[in-house]
Amino acid sequence: ENTFAGVLSFLRRKYTRDLAGADVVVSGVPLDLATTFRPGARFGPAAIRAASVQLAELKPFPWGFDPFDDLAVIDYGDCWLDVHDQATIVPAIVEHARGILASGATMLTFGGDHFVTYPLLKAHAERFGAALSLVHFDAHCDTWHDEGPATINHGTMFRRAANEGLVDPARSVQVGIRTWNDDFMGFRLLDAPWVHENGPAAALARILEIVGDRPAYLTFDIDCLDPAYAPGTGTPVPGGLTTAQALAIVRGLEPANLVGMDVVEVAPAYDASEVTALAAAHIASDLLCVLRNRKVKGLGRR
């Protein structure tokens, strides 16, 4: 297909619900009912797919290989949600994830607002049988006090995940934080000023030290990037990482035992020339290259 034409799927992968033989399953969770400021992230999965078409033309930089020679990736489409019945949302996302994880595939999920990570974590912790390490890129820690178990709020779900034993804060790391919380819940912080002062290589080394070889779930809120690089998001905060800094860190995560990952909070209505969606597509593409290298080297998921 021409880059400017054709049916859209992420990196032109086959659009199918057939999970047989898939190493990685890309899917979207188009939810934005949990936003606390600007809505619109329900259109994020479509925007990321659309921005990925150029990346499907050439071997990815700086990798120099076609990841799909070794990694079987499909685009599963999106999780269906009854957005008019809030009580059904968490169970629907959990069941969506359970079905994919039962096949043995790794999930790469596109949000949607950041709340979608909570039900994804529930399914992943269930699958891997232990509290996960969280590798969390964000401007916000998302550990503010929750209003209750029925609440859908994209600023409280990691407090809930920690309290429910889905993640281990002491073996988890939050990168790019630049908003205050009186209680960071014991999560290890590499805030944005620290990354600017110490650089991506030091941030990567610290992440790998904290996480070790534990099963780790990576979540990348696109507002981890400075609004100059990612204006198309619901809660932008100045002072964030550059796209180059973020990609340098992501590209070095091969030693981490990544069992699941997502990229969230792309809200294309606020984007400028699709730069936010393009950044998200590049991050997701690099994550696939990391998984390809882990497969080729026999590292896999543990």
Side-chain angles (χ1 to χ4, degrees):
E1 300 277 7
N2 294 115
T3 54
F4 49 82
V7 177
L8 293 180
S9 65
F10 185 65
L11 293 174
R12 301 292 197 188
R13 295 302 89 202
K14 184 178 181 180
Y15 187 97
T16 179
R17 293 288 169 106
D18 182 0
L19 297 168
D23 295 312
V24 181
V25 174
V26 176
S27 67
V29 183
L31 177 76
D32 61 6
L33 300 181
T35 55
T36 52
F37 187 35
R38 304 188 303 195
R42 67 181 63 187
F43 301 109
I48 297 169
R49 289 183 175 106
S52 76
V53 290
Q54 280 193 92
L55 293 172
E57 277 191 303
L58 303 170
K59 293 177 181 177
F61 179 87
W63 307 93
F65 55 69
D66 183 347
F68 307 121
D69 287 342
D70 304 292
L71 196 71
V73 180
I74 64 168
D75 191 325
Y76 191 81
D78 291 346
C79 174
W80 190 88
L81 300 167
D82 184 351
V83 296
H84 304 290
D85 187 351
Q86 181 169 305
T88 67
I89 287 173
V90 169
I93 299 171
V94 171
E95 286 304 312
H96 170 79
R98 279 178 180 155
I100 294 171
L101 292 173
S103 74
T106 299
M107 293 186 71
L108 171 59
T109 308
F110 300 145
D113 66 51
H114 211 161
F115 180 80
V116 305
T117 303
Y118 168 69
L120 291 170
L121 284 171
K122 286 177 74 72
H124 281 78
E126 177 184 278
R127 174 69 176 175
F128 293 96
L132 303 169
S133 289
L134 188 68
V135 181
H136 174 201
F137 294 82
D138 207 324
H140 312 87
C141 61
D142 295 337
T143 56
W144 284 280
H145 286 282
D146 212 338
E147 294 85 355
T151 300
I152 292 181
N153 185 324
H154 72 163
T156 64
M157 65 283 173
F158 294 135
R159 171 176 288 272
R160 190 182 305 186
N163 286 336
E164 293 180 11
L166 306 179
V167 298
D168 179 358
R171 299 299 299 274
S172 299
V173 57
Q174 298 182 316
V175 184
I177 305 301
R178 53 194 186 277
T179 47
W180 187 255
N181 189 344
D182 288 332
D183 183 6
F184 287 102
M185 292 285 294
F187 285 89
R188 315 293 283 275
L189 297 184
L190 303 179
D191 61 29
W194 189 96
V195 176
H196 292 316
E197 182 176 351
N198 293 277
L204 174 61
R206 190 77 181 102
I207 292 168
L208 296 176
E209 178 188 353
I210 292 168
V211 173
D213 63 355
R214 292 168 51 86
Y217 187 95
L218 183 147
T219 180
F220 199 110
D221 186 326
I222 204 66
D223 71 25
C224 178
L225 303 182
D226 188 87
Y229 304 92
T233 192
T235 318
V237 182
L241 273 60
T242 69
T243 308
Q245 287 174 320
L247 290 173
I249 297 170
V250 167
R251 288 168 179 163
L253 288 173
E254 182 183 313
N257 182 17
L258 298 177
V259 299
M261 56 203 71
D262 64 52
V263 182
V264 300
E265 293 283 358
V266 173
Y270 315 110
D271 211 352
S273 301
E274 301 179 3
V275 296
T276 310
L278 188 61
H282 272 265
I283 289 162
S285 174
D286 279 346
L287 287 170
L288 290 180
C289 290
V290 167
L291 292 183
R292 177 268 182 192
N293 277 359
R294 288 186 60 81
K295 180 183 179 183
V296 167
K297 296 177 182 179
L299 299 173
R301 300 187 306 185
R302 302 184 299 280

